Amino acid sequence: VLEQVAFSLAQKLRERFQPDTKRAADLAATTTIADFRLSQEKRDAFNKLLSNYLGTKNHHNFTTGRKSDDSSCMRYITQFEIVELFAVSGVEFARIRVHGASFMLHQ
C-alpha cells in the first residue's frame, strides 16, 4: 500500500511540475533579447537599492582579523550606482561604480 501511495504521489508531482513544452516553445519563439533589457524604471529601482549601502558602515566581515565591535572596521561608501549600460554581441551589461574610502584593494 505504501509503495502505491508513493508511486501515485510521484506521478502526480511529475504531472504537476512537468514543463509545458508547447507553452515554453511559444514563449521562446516570441521572446527577444530586448525583453531582458534594463528599463529606466528598473534601473532607478536598482539604484535605489544600491543607495542602501551609502554612508559609514561596519565592514568587519571584510576585514581580516578584526572583531565586529572594532571601530577600525568602519568604512564609508559615497557612491554606488549604475553609471552606464552597454551591449556586447546583443547582450546588455551594466557598469556599476562603487566609490568609497578605507577599503583595501582585495576587498
Side-chain angles (χ1 to χ4, degrees):
V1 172
L2 187 57
E3 288 178 10
Q4 290 176 336
V5 170
F7 179 78
S8 176
L9 180 60
Q11 188 172 356
K12 287 180 182 178
L13 286 172
R14 272 193 300 277
E15 290 170 2
R16 171 124 164 82
F17 293 106
Q18 176 131 5
D20 181 350
T21 54
K22 180 176 179 353
R23 183 169 173 253
D26 290 345
L27 187 60
T30 60
T31 303
T32 65
I33 291 176
D35 294 325
F36 295 97
R37 294 270 158 90
L38 192 62
S39 68
Q40 186 62 43
E41 180 181 307
K42 288 182 181 178
R43 181 178 176 174
D44 292 342
F46 191 70
N47 278 333
K48 184 177 178 183
L49 176 73
L50 293 176
S51 73
N52 289 313
Y53 293 94
L54 297 177
T56 302
K57 309 276 192 235
N58 185 338
H59 290 274
H60 70 276
N61 51 338
F62 296 106
T63 309
T64 305
R66 302 288 183 181
K67 301 275 187 196
S68 62
D69 58 352
D70 190 338
S71 63
S72 69
C73 298
M74 299 303 279
R75 309 284 186 263
Y76 63 93
I77 296 175
T78 57
Q79 184 180 20
F80 200 178
E81 65 184 352
I82 296 175
V83 292
E84 178 186 11
L85 298 175
F86 61 97
V88 175
S89 300
V91 178
E92 187 174 57
F93 294 88
R95 185 176 316 254
I96 299 173
R97 178 179 295 144
V98 181
H99 189 241
S102 300
F103 284 92
M104 294 172 58
L105 290 176
H106 68 278
Q107 294 176 338

